Amino acid sequence: MNCDGGAPSGLPPTSGERCPSAQNQAAGCAASGLRGGQFRRLVALVIACVLVVTVAGGATLQYLQTRMVAQAGENLALAAVDIAGKLDLLMMDRYGDIQMMARSETFHCCDAAAMADELAWMRMVYPLYEWLGITDSGGRIVASTDPASIGNDRSGQEWFRISKDRGVISVGDAQPSEESHGVIAVAFTAPIGGMRNEFLGTITSRVALPVLEDVFVETVTALQAQWGTDVRIEYQFVNREGEVIADSLLREERRVNLKQMGLPSAKLFDA
């Protein structure tokens, strides 16, 4: 018997008489090899696509992160500039106030009651003043918004000596004082001159730091609204020595020195 009745049994089939099953096996092997090669190429292509997408995605995320950090830094820098501008304006207004009051006729006379009334009116109109007072030429307080301070000797205070010895307006650093009842405040002091430019005494005021801090809060609130509630903005107000004099979170005023801690931002004062 042959495979399909052609050749006698026992004789090898000729090249044209190969068994169909052998041909089918050869074709199947060829097709299987082809499919195997295509599958490997497809897997390699998928892996390559995944790698490309992963690398591209990582690069995109890195760019977005860098850009977001840079944008946040730019916004904070603009906020700092805005705060500095508002503080400068507020300080210049108080500088103008003390200069104007030093020229007032009320403070050139010896009527302590009239001077006290004028100071009380000034504090009522401008609540940002923590305290106002008048000293005589010897440094003794003769009128004040706080009657308890009347009679106190301030001749040894730096703000008095500067105004008396140099004849100029003195603006002190933000620090606690007896006049502000321990509250951190900025002192403005101007000399009071007589008709012949003789030194009659000084007029001095204290602007409490919480009033200045309100300038921070206004700008920070606007920035907070822009960034949303998921972001919490904190701030610190630092003097030239690196001391924290306003802290929105930990309230570590006068207890932390950022320069001594080595913070780069605090060292910008020395740049």
Side-chain angles (χ1 to χ4, degrees):
M1 293 287 297
N2 58 13
C3 288
D4 50 4
S9 174
L11 294 177
T14 62
S15 60
E17 296 176 343
R18 293 198 178 273
C19 183
S21 61
Q23 293 177 353
N24 292 338
Q25 289 178 359
C29 290
S32 177
L34 180 61
R35 286 196 299 270
Q38 290 176 338
F39 179 75
R40 285 192 294 272
R41 286 194 296 272
L42 182 60
V43 170
L45 181 60
V46 170
I47 293 174
C49 290
V50 170
L51 289 175
V52 170
V53 171
T54 301
V55 172
T60 301
L61 289 175
Q62 181 66 30
Y63 170 79
L64 291 176
Q65 182 181 15
T66 303
R67 184 56 192 157
M68 289 177 65
V69 171
Q71 184 66 44
E74 292 171 3
N75 289 340
L76 289 175
L78 291 174
V81 171
D82 181 61
I83 289 172
K86 290 178 179 178
L87 282 176
D88 282 345
L89 182 60
L90 188 149
M91 299 289 276
M92 287 301 297
D93 286 345
R94 305 293 73 78
Y95 188 95
D97 287 348
I98 205 73
Q99 190 174 37
M100 175 194 68
M101 288 187 288
R103 293 176 176 271
S104 173
E105 291 296 330
T106 304
F107 302 124
H108 287 74
C109 68
C110 298
D111 189 344
M115 289 190 285
D117 288 343
E118 186 76 11
L119 293 176
W121 177 84
M122 193 71 181
R123 189 166 186 265
M124 180 184 67
V125 175
Y126 298 102
L128 52 84
Y129 286 114
E130 182 72 19
W131 179 87
L132 296 104
I134 303 290
T135 71
D136 59 17
S137 59
R140 186 174 63 88
I141 297 176
V142 296
S144 168
T145 53
D146 179 13
S149 63
I150 294 176
N152 291 337
D153 185 5
R154 294 291 182 263
S155 59
Q157 297 296 316
E158 184 179 14
W159 52 266
F160 178 80
R161 295 198 307 269
I162 291 176
S163 291
K164 180 180 181 179
D165 298 341
R166 304 180 189 174
V168 297
I169 295 176
S170 167
V171 180
D173 291 332
Q175 59 186 357
S177 68
E178 294 182 43
E179 295 78 23
S180 61
H181 305 96
V183 175
I184 297 177
V186 178
F188 293 83
T189 307
I192 300 174
M195 296 295 293
R196 294 181 297 275
N197 291 326
E198 70 274 22
F199 179 72
L200 300 179
T202 66
I203 180 167
T204 182
S205 65
R206 301 294 179 272
V207 179
L209 188 63
V211 174
L212 302 179
E213 199 171 349
D214 288 342
V215 176
F216 287 67
V217 174
E218 181 181 347
T219 301
V220 168
T221 300
L223 192 60
Q224 185 78 67
Q226 178 182 347
W227 286 0
T229 56
D230 293 336
V231 178
R232 180 169 182 173
I233 301 175
E234 302 169 8
Y235 62 84
Q236 290 177 317
F237 190 18
V238 183
N239 62 18
R240 288 188 176 276
E241 286 70 38
E243 291 180 322
V244 174
I245 56 178
D247 189 330
S248 65
L249 181 62
L250 301 178
R251 311 311 302 183
E252 294 182 323
E253 290 85 353
R254 312 292 294 187
R255 297 199 299 265
V256 175
N257 190 303
L258 300 186
K259 276 189 177 180
Q260 294 178 359
M261 294 174 62
L263 256 65
S265 57
K267 294 181 180 180
L268 292 176
F269 283 115
D270 303 326

